[in-house]
Amino acid sequence: MADSKAPSGTVTIIDNTSNKQTTLPLVSGTAGPKVIDIRNLYKDLGYFTFDPGYTATGSCQSKITYIDGDEGVLLYRGYPIEQLAEHSDFMEVCYLLLFGDLPDKAQRDQFVHDITYHTMVHDQLNRFYQGFRRDAHPMAVMCGVVGALSAFYHDSTDITDPLHRKVASYRLIAKMPTIAAMAYKYAMGQPFMYPQNNLSYAENFLYMSYAVPAEPYKMNKILSKALDKIFILHADHEQNASASTVRMSGSTGANPFACIAAGCASLWGPSHGGANEEVLKMLAEIGDKRNVGQWVKKAKDPSDPFRLFGFGHRVYKNFDPRAQVIQKTAHEVLGELGIKHEPLLEVAMELERIALVDDYFIKRRLYPNVDFYSGIILKAMGFPTSMFTALFAIGRTVGWVAQWNELIEDPSQKINRPRQLYTGVTKRDYVPVAKRKAAAKAAQ
Ligand code: ACO
């Protein structure tokens, strides 16, 4: 590996069938379990590894985000998520993820200025929206419009040029809220609102979503702060499905806008970023905290495909530190909005209470994840459930962009091309259509 330390040991694999053996290097990162570098395994023993879902496979080396799922630790460039959510803001976190360190005052001001001055989209893109049905899901619109950016910004698609990469990265981070807000406005049948350069990133998104030209918009700082926190909590999560999709697309040399559109598509799934939308639907369907027991029973039934959305995580097996921050924010937002009785929050809390003492969930180490509470906040802010994943995509764009830049700058990266365990039919000869019936009969 280009950048990691020298092997900190070896692992010898003995093949009992052929009596061959190979010694593979054991490599240490700066934290987390060691990894076995298996790149010579096929050459030495003629075997591939089999790991559906990549549950035990490291696909790259990365310096961006570290997760210890057993301890509930999430670090961006070494900084604990709780500290960043409490003391930092989203622009600073973007700078940190992109460049590796927190900015000084001048760097921060410059970065905020540069992002702010990229928030408008090419005016012709406005017409692109007219091609979508009014009731199109915002994520369908996001996938299309983000992919289309490469048709509008040719001057930042040369991935071998660091300046192109930087401009494309800034454009993506800056334009994502504009694109998402436009998707919302289009669905509402309201005019698009242009970004305002005197507003912060989160404020601008609220403005573009909720302002109308007919009257001044009053910003609620508590809500914009909560939204900023939601963006921080979603900013990156190491090699999750959408980041891996971005990296896989990027490994082919595809342009950054195409790669981030691929990330949007991957995020949309209900097992990933689409879960926040599913959580709200589920809470609404449960309806009353007295019904929680029967839904928990349903989630535990192996013959029922239903799962508790917002519960469980591939990596966190103790608690999701983001869920703890966001639960507190949910209470703050509801308090600010004067919502004393929110049945969905009551159902959510009852669900969490029951599940956390239930053997099924304890044994499988299933805990509420970040999506369990984010939907309650977004609903209270007035967003329809269909917008939830689009909001996740806004926060996650910086993570995708940071992961993509790291991939492009990593000399050890190759085109991503996993192998497989083939279980299909082995070689057979083509049979002309007139003879197929007879051949099939003969084969019986
Ligand atoms: N409700 C009920 N049972 C569950 C749940 C759940 N939410 N999640 C996992 N399980 C059960 C599985 O049925 C399985 O049981 P078994 O051992 O009896 O077969 C066991 O727990 C292990 O589950 P896996 O699916 O193997 O775990 P995996 O790591 O593959 O899945 C995932 C993780 C996809 C997140 C899963 O927990 C899930 O589907 N959760 C609901 C969707 C969700 O909230 N996704 C958001 C993830 S966070 C994010 O993207 C920001």
Side-chain angles (χ1 to χ4, degrees):
M1 292 182 202
D3 210 10
S4 52
K5 291 184 187 132
S8 58
T10 54
V11 168
T12 299
I13 298 181
I14 300 166
D15 177 5
N16 292 327
T17 54
S18 66
N19 282 330
K20 281 199 226 164
Q21 70 173 55
T22 181
T23 298
L24 301 170
L26 206 48
V27 184
S28 300
T30 47
K34 293 177 183 177
V35 300
I36 305 170
D37 180 349
I38 58 162
R39 282 176 291 182
N40 281 336
L41 186 67
Y42 180 70
K43 183 165 73 65
D44 292 350
L45 296 184
Y47 298 134
F48 295 130
T49 53
F50 181 61
D51 183 19
Y54 312 123
T55 57
T57 297
S59 60
C60 61
Q61 50 182 327
S62 181
K63 292 183 166 66
I64 302 172
T65 293
Y66 174 73
I67 302 174
D68 182 333
D70 289 325
E71 297 298 322
V73 170
L74 169 61
L75 310 176
Y76 292 166
R77 302 280 189 185
Y79 294 101
I81 191 67
E82 297 86 346
Q83 289 183 24
L84 292 170
E86 180 73 26
H87 304 297
S88 187
D89 62 44
F90 185 61
M91 278 296 96
E92 230 180 39
V93 167
C94 286
Y95 187 98
L96 173 70
L97 288 168
L98 287 176
F99 301 111
D101 285 305
L102 288 168
D104 62 24
K105 168 99 177 59
Q107 289 167 328
R108 187 196 148 96
D109 291 349
Q110 184 65 50
F111 182 71
V112 171
H113 173 274
D114 292 347
I115 294 296
T116 305
Y117 280 80
H118 277 103
T119 48
M120 272 169 55
V121 292
H122 193 292
D123 217 48
Q124 210 181 328
L125 206 62
N126 293 354
R127 273 183 271 144
F128 195 83
Y129 282 75
Q130 315 302 322
F132 291 99
R133 276 173 56 143
R134 285 277 173 202
D135 60 355
H137 193 285
M139 284 307 285
V141 177
M142 299 284 280
C143 292
V145 176
V146 174
L149 292 179
S150 45
F152 288 89
Y153 299 102
H154 297 281
D155 58 338
S156 56
T157 52
D158 178 0
I159 63 163
T160 62
D161 183 336
L163 185 62
H164 277 229
R165 294 204 297 272
K166 185 172 161 184
V167 173
S169 302
Y170 282 23
R171 279 178 170 156
L172 278 158
I173 295 165
K175 294 182 198 311
M176 212 62 168
T178 316
I179 292 168
M182 286 167 78
Y184 176 61
K185 285 296 199 195
Y186 182 69
M188 299 293 289
Q190 290 183 1
F192 297 141
M193 297 298 288
Y194 287 103
Q196 300 292 303
N197 289 350
N198 61 332
L199 297 178
S200 75
Y201 191 87
E203 286 172 348
N204 233 332
F205 180 63
L206 288 174
Y207 174 83
M208 290 187 284
S209 301
Y210 293 128
V212 287
E215 60 187 18
Y217 178 70
K218 195 167 177 302
M219 188 62 63
N220 181 325
K221 294 273 178 192
I222 304 239
L223 297 193
S224 63
K225 185 103 193 30
L227 190 59
D228 193 83
K229 207 172 270 191
I230 289 178
F231 289 153
I232 293 175
L233 296 176
H234 288 86
D236 193 45
H237 215 225
E238 53 117 306
Q239 308 314 318
N240 56 83
S242 57
S244 299
T245 304
V246 169
R247 277 186 178 261
M248 186 166 270
S249 313
S251 78
T252 69
N255 76 67
F257 303 108
C259 296
I260 302 307
C264 284
S266 168
L267 186 76
W268 192 3
S271 294
H272 190 12
N276 53 14
E277 187 175 342
E278 298 301 326
V279 170
L280 253 261
K281 284 188 200 156
M282 175 187 78
L283 296 177
E285 213 170 325
I286 296 175
D288 189 290
K289 63 181 190 179
R290 283 168 300 188
N291 302 335
V292 166
Q294 74 198 59
W295 284 82
V296 169
K297 214 166 143 202
K298 207 167 137 60
K300 293 178 350 183
D301 180 354
S303 60
D304 191 325
F306 172 74
R307 288 190 157 196
L308 283 186
F309 284 99
F311 262 77
H313 196 273
R314 170 59 59 78
V315 183
Y316 294 119
K317 298 298 177 198
N318 202 344
F319 66 92
D320 179 344
R322 304 167 301 172
Q324 298 195 323
V325 176
I326 214 157
Q327 189 198 34
K328 203 171 139 229
T329 310
H331 287 287
E332 281 164 14
V333 167
L334 296 185
E336 166 64 17
L337 294 173
I339 302 172
K340 291 204 175 65
H341 172 66
E342 168 49 278
L344 295 187
L345 183 63
E346 284 166 18
V347 171
M349 291 178 66
E350 181 66 1
L351 195 57
E352 181 176 6
R353 192 188 65 75
I354 292 188
L356 289 184
V357 294
D358 190 297
D359 244 18
Y360 174 94
F361 292 89
I362 294 170
K363 264 201 203 123
R364 289 168 181 76
R365 304 173 82 192
L366 300 168
Y367 298 87
N369 59 48
V370 65
D371 288 329
F372 193 63
Y373 284 103
S374 64
I376 290 167
I377 303 178
L378 299 178
K379 178 179 177 278
M381 284 178 177
F383 289 105
T385 45
S386 61
M387 275 298 286
F388 291 2
T389 312
L391 272 119
F392 189 158
I394 296 174
R396 182 54 58 85
T397 296
V398 65
W400 291 333
V401 163
Q403 299 280 348
W404 175 80
N405 276 292
E406 191 176 61
L407 164 102
I408 301 294
E409 287 160 17
D410 180 352
S412 72
Q413 274 299 310
K414 294 167 179 275
I415 182 168
N416 285 195
R417 176 57 172 89
R419 303 307 296 245
Q420 64 173 3
L421 177 66
Y422 179 67
T423 56
V425 179
T426 53
K427 187 170 178 267
R428 52 183 169 172
D429 289 324
Y430 179 81
V431 180
V433 66
K435 295 187 177 169
R436 272 175 217 163
K437 218 170 179 180
K441 215 168 177 186
Q444 276 172 6

